[in-house]
Amino acid sequence: MNQPLTHFDAQGQAHMVDVGSKDITHRVAVASGHIRMQPATLALITSGTAKKGDVLGIARIAAIQGAKRTADLVPLCHPLPITRVAVEFHVDEAGSTVQVVATVETVGRTGVEMEALTAVQVGLLTIYDMCKAADRGMVMGEIRVLEKHGGKSGDWSVTR
Amino acid sequence: MNQPLTHFDAQGQAHMVDVGSKDITHRVAVASGHIRMQPATLALITSGTAKKGDVLGIARIAAIQGAKRTADLVPLCHPLPITRVAVEFHVDEAGSTVQVVATVETVGRTGVEMEALTAVQVGLLTIYDMCKAADRGMVMGEIRVLEKHGGKSGDWSVTR
Amino acid sequence: MNQPLTHFDAQGQAHMVDVGSKDITHRVAVASGHIRMQPATLALITSGTAKKGDVLGIARIAAIQGAKRTADLVPLCHPLPITRVAVEFHVDEAGSTVQVVATVETVGRTGVEMEALTAVQVGLLTIYDMCKAADRGMVMGEIRVLEKHGGKSGDWSVTR
Amino acid sequence: MNQPLTHFDAQGQAHMVDVGSKDITHRVAVASGHIRMQPATLALITSGTAKKGDVLGIARIAAIQGAKRTADLVPLCHPLPITRVAVEFHVDEAGSTVQVVATVETVGRTGVEMEALTAVQVGLLTIYDMCKAADRGMVMGEIRVLEKHGGKSGDWSVTR
Amino acid sequence: MNQPLTHFDAQGQAHMVDVGSKDITHRVAVASGHIRMQPATLALITSGTAKKGDVLGIARIAAIQGAKRTADLVPLCHPLPITRVAVEFHVDEAGSTVQVVATVETVGRTGVEMEALTAVQVGLLTIYDMCKAADRGMVMGEIRVLEKHGGKSGDWSVTR
Amino acid sequence: MNQPLTHFDAQGQAHMVDVGSKDITHRVAVASGHIRMQPATLALITSGTAKKGDVLGIARIAAIQGAKRTADLVPLCHPLPITRVAVEFHVDEAGSTVQVVATVETVGRTGVEMEALTAVQVGLLTIYDMCKAADRGMVMGEIRVLEKHGGKSGDWSVTR
């Protein structure tokens, strides 16, 4: 029987998959997610960025550092030489959310979706942490891979 | 002017808040989140748990370890002596999701919401990682604090 | 005089050896070790794996993660892009031991014996941790490299 | 049914055990292990310690740092405020081994056996690493807890 | 003979000093250091802080996180429950330097000088990193403890 | 307008710079720094190295390990496969200082100045830690890059 979950061998034992014979190619992944909060909380962030307390600047740094910790956090991830991380925030005042979009690149043997997702998660956690004194009910969601390029499976993007 | 974002001082500079004079009390936080996937992917997880490839068992370990990494990941979090971590998974076949619920406890000077949320995020990331070969379009969401106890602010729980 | 301990220079000062001019080749190392326990403890593990409490599944994850921490733990080890880790357990009921066998691969400039040994040690420590409430007298031993392939020194295996 | 493996709950799910209600007491653990090598390799270590290349001095530092990493490596270990680590080496020329003995202390809610064992394992790995160019067949063994004091279970020592 | 270097025992072996019987008290340490650069480089930082590229905001976050890594970096440091970290920057246009001042507090058994110094060092390294494309010749200096309070040795401050 | 601080994009947002298209070349960086202390403290170090308590041997190990932690500490640094680290100490009795010189090499896409500087900083911090019971007023300084080789910018060395 075929094992569609590649992180398990034929006996169902977890392993770190062999990527030694995969090609070294340029690989890119983009992931995003958002955090929904009270409008008053969002106002603290948006005014803060301009003058007092740069929540998003700090969350960006945490997200970039988070990408570098991926293989430490996700048990079966391969360590990867990340060559670029960029993190953007989009404030949606109508929906009262901040969206995080992380782009990670490598020139390596395996993809960087997990690094991009980890950057998003750590960025969101940091926003939560910095605003939680004002708003404990914030909710994080819509965390997903948006697109990926490079490697044998080629280009993929979410159907929107 | 009052600064409602406690992670910033009066000049808007980030700092790790002084908790030295807060009481050492028993503190609990519960957080949850879910990951939505194709029904066929969910079937791989549920059958795997029983016999081949224990996705949720591995995600539980990653979540517990993730809780211990919180202060490494979230810049302004205090290091905390965690005294308990428990992680449960609830499979919702109708909604085609797996929900992660993490409970973290400490006897310390500050709360453990961030530790509980980090456990949830790392648990979700690990499920994504292990199933991504079968289903790249999985989406993580509804990540929030459900309840918290202990400390000066007392009990709080999400209004459901 | 020749310095047979390559981790020291001619003055006896420790250094991280220069591997910059070594070839990038496919390298494999296999290491093993075992933990000896009371037969009743072993029975808890073997029955647990089947239904309650998967000690070996958790030890496998810890071992794989341990391999990734090798350069953090062993001062003069080079950081290496691990391309595969697999960990097997063999239960020997007659000898009342569990044997851990770890295989680590890279495509890099230096070998992965230390990564394989670290995986074994962390796997054994995790078994000890999970069973210590039942049996404090467990003993770990026979921890060694079994074989290695690739690199200038070529193939090597223990004489058995 | 009673679950003798305390790291699992009644459903067999792994958790980090609740130690929040355990007393804060002074706790000590002593662990040891050895590495067996060619007599010529041992001679390199013993002469080196005196004048060129202090293998044991470096292994001692690695062992002390390893003790601080225990909760990172062993999934269900609690983070602990270590208050003392001491590491001794005993060279046995007759048996051609180096024995590592690590003593770890804390004033906390749970014992430090795992910290002492981790110190031993990392100390042994470091000796292996530094001597492996001269002797690949070294074997580590007899790794065990020798004694422990403090906490509800009181004093325990191995029967020798 | 008395051993004035407390990190060594009577045989000259390094150890992590026993602090188990020291009192838990409120302890504070303040450390500082500066980085000297070309006036044009300093101008990039000072204009950047206001509108494009917040070098000092990022260095502050790195410094705070660095304080939490002290026991990982400095081999014989005890892990400590930091209760506060604050980091200030002072731009000296006449001297063409940026000074970093870090204040760290704990309620614990040992002082936090090393945490304050590590925060300073990591803050300085981050400024260097962010400006090095413009100015490779920057020099870091005057890194020292300014004052410390708490513990048996009481108050101490540098003679200025 | 040109952005001379490459760690920021055109909007002034921090990012980890794209190095994916840079050539893989052999790169070397040398950095140094010193710590100034009381002559009596320096005498403890120099006599200790010979017989009791090897301060500099321990600082060397910490410096080498510090180089490996650079990308963990400095937010926008790329993870790099270090191929060599060497650390030397020069005792200047006239100036009552110990100088640390760290040389780091890689075969990679970006330079290793930050790794060399981090090695120096961690080496200096470790000396401070080990001597602080005798001399709290030690001052670290003159920390800089001395030379760098490889990569598009070619050779550079400090003008002395």
Side-chain angles (χ1 to χ4, degrees):
Chain A
M1 182 199 122
N2 195 34
Q3 168 54 284
L5 299 181
T6 54
H7 283 293
F8 297 103
D9 64 17
Q11 282 70 49
Q13 314 290 24
H15 57 161
M16 188 193 288
V17 176
D18 185 6
V19 299
S21 59
K22 292 175 76 173
D23 288 338
I24 293 182
T25 64
H26 178 218
R27 293 158 191 270
V28 183
V30 183
S32 74
H34 68 221
I35 181 165
R36 197 166 60 239
M37 59 189 71
Q38 299 292 337
T41 313
L42 189 63
L44 289 171
I45 290 178
T46 52
S47 67
T49 302
K51 57 179 189 306
K52 278 187 175 282
D54 182 6
V55 171
L56 301 185
I58 294 171
R60 179 181 286 110
I61 293 303
I64 291 170
Q65 290 182 295
K68 294 192 267 187
R69 307 299 293 280
T70 305
D72 261 9
L73 295 171
V74 181
L76 303 176
C77 265
H78 297 81
L80 264 182
I82 291 174
T83 56
R84 177 176 175 241
V85 185
V87 177
E88 285 173 37
F89 296 98
H90 302 293
V91 172
D92 172 1
E93 305 215 342
S96 204
T97 62
V98 178
Q99 188 195 25
V100 183
V101 181
T103 303
V104 179
E105 303 189 22
T106 192
V107 180
R109 296 179 198 278
T110 180
V112 281
E113 303 98 297
M114 295 315 303
E115 283 73 11
L117 285 169
T118 302
V120 168
Q121 299 283 47
V122 175
L124 293 173
L125 285 170
T126 301
I127 296 173
Y128 187 97
D129 181 47
M130 301 192 77
C131 299
K132 70 181 192 291
D135 184 358
R136 257 191 211 113
M138 292 174 285
V139 182
M140 296 168 264
E142 292 300 309
I143 299 153
R144 65 172 74 189
V145 176
L146 295 182
E147 49 186 288
K148 94 188 265 297
H149 307 285
K152 204 175 64 181
S153 62
D155 293 351
W156 178 89
S157 71
V158 73
T159 314
R160 275 179 280 199
Chain B
M1 184 199 124
N2 193 34
Q3 168 53 285
L5 298 182
T6 54
H7 284 291
F8 299 102
D9 64 19
Q11 283 70 47
Q13 315 290 25
H15 58 161
M16 188 194 289
V17 176
D18 185 5
V19 300
S21 60
K22 293 175 75 173
D23 288 338
I24 293 182
T25 64
H26 179 218
R27 293 159 191 269
V28 184
V30 183
S32 73
H34 68 220
I35 181 165
R36 198 166 58 240
M37 60 189 71
Q38 299 292 337
T41 313
L42 189 63
L44 289 171
I45 291 179
T46 52
S47 66
T49 302
K51 57 179 186 307
K52 279 184 176 283
D54 182 7
V55 171
L56 302 184
I58 294 170
R60 179 181 287 110
I61 294 303
I64 292 170
Q65 290 181 295
K68 293 192 267 187
R69 296 296 187 74
T70 304
D72 260 10
L73 295 171
V74 181
L76 303 175
C77 264
H78 297 81
L80 265 181
I82 292 174
T83 56
R84 177 177 175 243
V85 184
V87 176
E88 284 173 38
F89 296 98
H90 302 293
V91 172
D92 172 0
E93 304 216 342
S96 204
T97 62
V98 178
Q99 188 196 24
V100 183
V101 181
T103 304
V104 179
E105 303 188 22
T106 193
V107 181
R109 296 180 198 279
T110 182
V112 281
E113 302 97 298
M114 295 316 301
E115 283 73 11
L117 284 169
T118 302
V120 168
Q121 298 283 47
V122 176
L124 292 173
L125 285 170
T126 301
I127 296 173
Y128 187 97
D129 182 47
M130 301 191 77
C131 298
K132 71 180 191 294
D135 184 358
R136 259 192 208 110
M138 291 173 285
V139 181
M140 295 167 265
E142 294 300 310
I143 299 155
R144 65 173 73 192
V145 176
L146 295 182
E147 50 187 287
K148 98 188 260 299
H149 307 285
K152 204 175 64 181
S153 63
D155 293 350
W156 178 89
S157 70
V158 73
T159 314
R160 275 176 281 197
Chain C
M1 182 200 122
N2 194 34
Q3 168 52 284
L5 298 182
T6 54
H7 284 292
F8 298 103
D9 64 18
Q11 282 70 49
Q13 315 290 23
H15 57 160
M16 189 193 290
V17 176
D18 185 6
V19 299
S21 59
K22 292 176 74 174
D23 289 337
I24 292 182
T25 63
H26 179 219
R27 293 157 191 271
V28 183
V30 183
S32 74
H34 68 222
I35 181 164
R36 198 166 59 239
M37 58 189 70
Q38 298 293 337
T41 313
L42 189 63
L44 289 170
I45 291 179
T46 52
S47 66
T49 302
K51 58 178 187 307
K52 278 186 176 285
D54 183 6
V55 171
L56 301 185
I58 294 170
R60 179 181 286 112
I61 293 303
I64 291 171
Q65 290 182 295
K68 294 192 268 187
R69 308 299 292 282
T70 305
D72 261 9
L73 295 171
V74 181
L76 302 176
C77 264
H78 297 81
L80 264 181
I82 291 174
T83 55
R84 176 176 175 242
V85 184
V87 177
E88 284 173 38
F89 296 99
H90 302 292
V91 172
D92 172 0
E93 304 216 342
S96 204
T97 62
V98 178
Q99 188 196 24
V100 183
V101 181
T103 303
V104 179
E105 303 189 22
T106 192
V107 180
R109 297 181 197 279
T110 181
V112 281
E113 302 98 298
M114 295 315 302
E115 283 73 11
L117 285 169
T118 302
V120 168
Q121 299 283 46
V122 176
L124 293 172
L125 285 170
T126 301
I127 296 174
Y128 187 96
D129 181 47
M130 300 191 78
C131 298
K132 71 181 190 292
D135 184 359
R136 260 192 208 111
M138 291 174 284
V139 182
M140 295 168 265
E142 294 300 310
I143 299 154
R144 66 172 74 189
V145 177
L146 295 182
E147 49 186 289
K148 96 188 262 297
H149 307 283
K152 204 175 65 180
S153 63
D155 294 349
W156 178 88
S157 71
V158 73
T159 315
R160 277 178 279 199
Chain D
M1 181 199 126
N2 194 34
Q3 167 54 283
L5 298 182
T6 54
H7 283 292
F8 298 103
D9 65 17
Q11 283 69 49
Q13 315 289 24
H15 57 160
M16 189 194 288
V17 175
D18 185 6
V19 299
S21 59
K22 293 175 76 174
D23 288 338
I24 293 181
T25 63
H26 178 218
R27 294 159 192 268
V28 184
V30 184
S32 73
H34 68 221
I35 181 166
R36 198 167 58 240
M37 58 189 71
Q38 299 292 337
T41 313
L42 189 63
L44 289 170
I45 291 179
T46 52
S47 67
T49 302
K51 58 179 185 310
K52 277 185 176 284
D54 182 6
V55 171
L56 300 185
I58 294 171
R60 178 181 287 110
I61 293 303
I64 291 170
Q65 290 181 294
K68 293 191 267 186
R69 296 297 187 73
T70 305
D72 260 10
L73 295 171
V74 181
L76 303 175
C77 264
H78 297 82
L80 265 181
I82 291 174
T83 56
R84 177 177 175 242
V85 185
V87 176
E88 285 173 37
F89 296 98
H90 302 292
V91 172
D92 172 359
E93 305 217 341
S96 204
T97 61
V98 178
Q99 188 196 23
V100 182
V101 180
T103 303
V104 179
E105 303 189 21
T106 192
V107 181
R109 296 180 198 280
T110 181
V112 282
E113 302 99 295
M114 295 315 303
E115 283 74 11
L117 284 169
T118 303
V120 168
Q121 298 284 45
V122 175
L124 293 173
L125 284 171
T126 301
I127 296 173
Y128 187 96
D129 182 47
M130 300 192 77
C131 298
K132 71 180 191 291
D135 184 359
R136 256 191 211 112
M138 290 174 285
V139 181
M140 295 168 264
E142 293 301 308
I143 299 154
R144 65 172 75 190
V145 176
L146 294 182
E147 49 186 289
K148 96 188 261 298
H149 307 284
K152 205 175 63 181
S153 63
D155 293 350
W156 178 88
S157 71
V158 74
T159 315
R160 275 178 282 199
Chain E
M1 183 200 125
N2 194 33
Q3 167 55 282
L5 299 182
T6 55
H7 284 292
F8 298 103
D9 64 18
Q11 282 70 48
Q13 315 290 24
H15 57 161
M16 188 193 287
V17 175
D18 186 7
V19 299
S21 59
K22 293 175 76 173
D23 288 338
I24 293 182
T25 64
H26 179 218
R27 292 157 192 270
V28 183
V30 183
S32 73
H34 67 221
I35 180 166
R36 198 165 61 240
M37 59 189 72
Q38 299 292 336
T41 312
L42 190 63
L44 289 171
I45 291 178
T46 53
S47 66
T49 301
K51 56 179 189 304
K52 277 184 175 286
D54 182 6
V55 171
L56 301 185
I58 294 171
R60 179 181 286 111
I61 294 302
I64 292 171
Q65 290 181 295
K68 294 192 266 187
R69 295 297 187 74
T70 305
D72 260 9
L73 295 171
V74 181
L76 303 176
C77 264
H78 296 81
L80 265 182
I82 292 174
T83 56
R84 177 178 175 241
V85 185
V87 176
E88 285 174 36
F89 296 98
H90 302 292
V91 171
D92 172 0
E93 304 216 342
S96 203
T97 63
V98 179
Q99 188 195 25
V100 183
V101 181
T103 304
V104 179
E105 302 189 22
T106 192
V107 182
R109 298 180 196 279
T110 182
V112 281
E113 302 99 296
M114 295 315 302
E115 283 74 12
L117 285 169
T118 303
V120 169
Q121 299 283 46
V122 175
L124 293 173
L125 284 171
T126 301
I127 296 173
Y128 187 96
D129 182 48
M130 301 191 78
C131 298
K132 70 181 192 291
D135 184 358
R136 257 191 211 112
M138 291 173 285
V139 181
M140 296 166 264
E142 294 300 310
I143 300 154
R144 65 173 75 191
V145 176
L146 295 182
E147 49 186 288
K148 97 189 261 299
H149 307 285
K152 204 175 64 182
S153 63
D155 293 350
W156 178 90
S157 70
V158 74
T159 316
R160 276 178 282 197
Chain F
M1 182 201 124
N2 194 32
Q3 167 54 282
L5 299 182
T6 54
H7 283 293
F8 298 104
D9 64 19
Q11 282 70 48
Q13 314 290 23
H15 57 160
M16 188 194 289
V17 176
D18 186 6
V19 299
S21 60
K22 293 176 75 174
D23 288 337
I24 293 181
T25 63
H26 179 217
R27 293 157 191 273
V28 184
V30 184
S32 73
H34 68 222
I35 181 165
R36 198 167 59 241
M37 60 189 71
Q38 299 292 337
T41 313
L42 189 63
L44 288 171
I45 291 179
T46 53
S47 66
T49 302
K51 56 178 191 304
K52 279 186 175 284
D54 182 6
V55 171
L56 301 185
I58 294 171
R60 178 180 287 113
I61 293 303
I64 292 171
Q65 290 182 293
K68 294 191 267 187
R69 306 300 291 282
T70 305
D72 261 8
L73 295 171
V74 181
L76 303 175
C77 264
H78 297 81
L80 265 181
I82 292 174
T83 55
R84 177 176 175 242
V85 184
V87 176
E88 284 173 37
F89 296 98
H90 302 293
V91 172
D92 171 1
E93 304 215 343
S96 203
T97 62
V98 178
Q99 188 195 25
V100 182
V101 181
T103 303
V104 179
E105 303 190 21
T106 192
V107 180
R109 296 180 197 277
T110 181
V112 282
E113 302 98 298
M114 295 315 302
E115 283 74 11
L117 285 169
T118 303
V120 168
Q121 299 283 47
V122 176
L124 293 172
L125 285 170
T126 301
I127 295 174
Y128 187 96
D129 182 48
M130 300 191 78
C131 298
K132 70 181 192 292
D135 183 359
R136 258 190 211 113
M138 291 173 285
V139 182
M140 296 167 264
E142 293 301 310
I143 299 153
R144 66 173 73 191
V145 176
L146 294 182
E147 49 186 289
K148 92 188 267 296
H149 306 286
K152 203 174 64 181
S153 63
D155 293 351
W156 178 90
S157 71
V158 73
T159 315
R160 275 178 281 197

